[in-house]
Amino acid sequence: MLVTGGAGYIGSHTVVTLIEKGYTPIIIDDFRNANQDVIERLSKITGEEIIYFNVACQDSFRLKGVFGQFPIEGVIHFAADKAVGESVEKPLKYFENNFGGLTSILELVQEFEVKNFVFSSSCTVYGDPEVIPVTEESPVSYNSPYGFTKKVCEEMIEQFVASCPIVKATLLRYFNPVGAHESGLIGEEPDGKPNNLLPFITQTAAGVRKELTVFGDDYDTPDGTCIRDYIHVVDLAEAHVAALENAMNSTENLMVFNVGTGKGSSVLEMIKTFEEETGIELPYKIGPRREGDIKEIYANTDKVNQTLNWESRKTINEAIATSWKFEKYIRELRK
Ligand SMILES: NC(=O)c1ccc[n+]([C@@H]2O[C@H](COP(=O)([O-])OP(=O)(O)OC[C@H]3O[C@@H](n4cnc5c(N)ncnc54)[C@H](O)[C@@H]3O)[C@@H](O)[C@H]2O)c1
């Protein structure tokens, strides 16, 4: 299984799950948003030598060599730029990487007749939904260049499989991935200021950040703060293997699934759970709303539960405990 972006946050956890399930992952990553030492840590967790290539998805010439070297049964395409705020400032960077990377990988999928393709999409394609929970049939839109790339990439894949029916594609729309591997050796390590809540919480608790700002407490929600569907990254990793195995036995050549828990948690609930789980009091203040944030979103997971026979099993407490374990580990490592 070729895993683009396999050194990143979700990709690295998926590599572990693939190995546990008996597959041989081949990582393609140019380490633009990952540290090369993750490979060693993946070896430590799995006890296996990790096959990886330090190459960009756009480098078709070198990638052709990789596709030619191994009998590739499936591709999971994680590699992309993903920061919503940055995408507003630098949309062309997002177009070049997210469209360019996908195009070049699909060309090779076609040339080498790879039958199975899984794409990292996002609940961002639902924009600011009027009806929640969102189903796979909910209207799609976007409110940032990043969201635009996810929506267009989904459409690119749809048109591609229509022209190349040998390929079965699965679009996984992730909700908010959180947590880390139970070993605490891999997790989310943002470059600079985190965009996501949990790394911000753990960095604040570790003293890297002075305090946490809650962006608005005047939303129309029970405690006034935004609500998201936080999915444990290890559960999410397992959904990828379930998607690959489902596609191997399916006659459909394009499938779309929400991957979430089906439950919403507010920002203040996350802070409270962190404090309960770790016994650490978090310094936080209420700030103004952040531009682009929507009030509330969580998934209807009926389709993924039934079709992929997959459901989230891990709790938010487990996600918080493992993230905190990883934060402490990575602080020591980077000293
Ligand atoms: N983390 C989230 O909150 C979230 C939510 C929904 C969807 N997603 C999507 O899931 C995917 C993985 O996200 P993540 O959180 O693991 O991000 P990440 O940045 O940790 O991982 C992406 C990896 O891809 C690599 N990469 C990027 N562009 C590349 C290229 N052109 N060639 C080779 N390698 C390249 C990076 O070095 C990194 O290791 C992305 O497509 C992202 O848009 C993430």
Side-chain angles (χ1 to χ4, degrees), residues 50-208:
I50 304 296
I51 307 171
Y52 77 99
F53 294 88
N54 183 344
V55 55
C57 295
Q58 291 86 331
D59 188 343
S60 308
F61 181 76
R62 284 192 56 210
L63 272 186
K64 210 170 171 162
V66 179
F67 274 76
Q69 193 180 338
F70 301 93
I72 292 168
E73 283 206 28
V75 171
I76 309 179
H77 184 53
F78 290 104
D81 286 327
K82 62 161 185 178
V84 173
E86 186 193 48
S87 79
V88 176
E89 284 158 33
K90 301 177 186 166
L92 297 180
K93 177 177 182 223
Y94 280 69
F95 301 161
E96 189 283 321
N97 196 24
N98 297 5
F99 299 146
L102 175 65
T103 308
S104 137
I105 292 292
L106 288 180
E107 275 166 0
L108 292 162
V109 163
Q110 181 167 34
E111 183 176 340
F112 288 86
E113 299 185 345
V114 179
K115 293 187 182 61
N116 212 328
F117 185 80
V118 178
F119 176 70
S120 299
S121 189
S122 163
C123 69
T124 192
V125 299
Y126 297 117
D128 189 355
E130 274 175 25
V131 181
I132 42 171
V134 287
T135 73
E136 290 78 359
E137 307 308 319
S138 296
V140 293
S141 69
Y142 56 88
N143 40 14
S144 70
Y146 167 71
F148 173 72
T149 66
K150 287 295 171 196
K151 180 175 176 285
V152 173
C153 284
E154 285 196 354
E155 288 169 16
M156 286 165 66
I157 294 165
E158 188 179 347
Q159 294 187 20
F160 167 70
V161 292
S163 77
C164 187
I166 183 182
V167 182
K168 287 183 194 146
T170 310
L171 314 176
L172 296 182
R173 292 177 178 161
Y174 316 153
F175 282 65
N176 287 60
V178 285
H181 187 261
E182 59 182 3
S183 64
L185 294 178
I186 53 171
E188 187 173 8
E189 190 188 357
D191 185 16
K193 204 170 169 183
N195 293 303
N196 294 337
L197 177 63
L198 200 47
F200 217 113
I201 289 179
T202 55
Q203 287 195 6
T204 307
V208 181

Side-chain angles (χ1 to χ4, degrees), residues 278-296:
T278 62
I280 298 170
E281 204 178 313
L282 267 182
Y284 74 89
K285 65 167 187 214
I286 307 293
R289 290 183 179 195
R290 184 170 62 172
E291 209 185 319
D293 276 346
I294 58 167
K295 177 184 77 162
E296 179 174 25

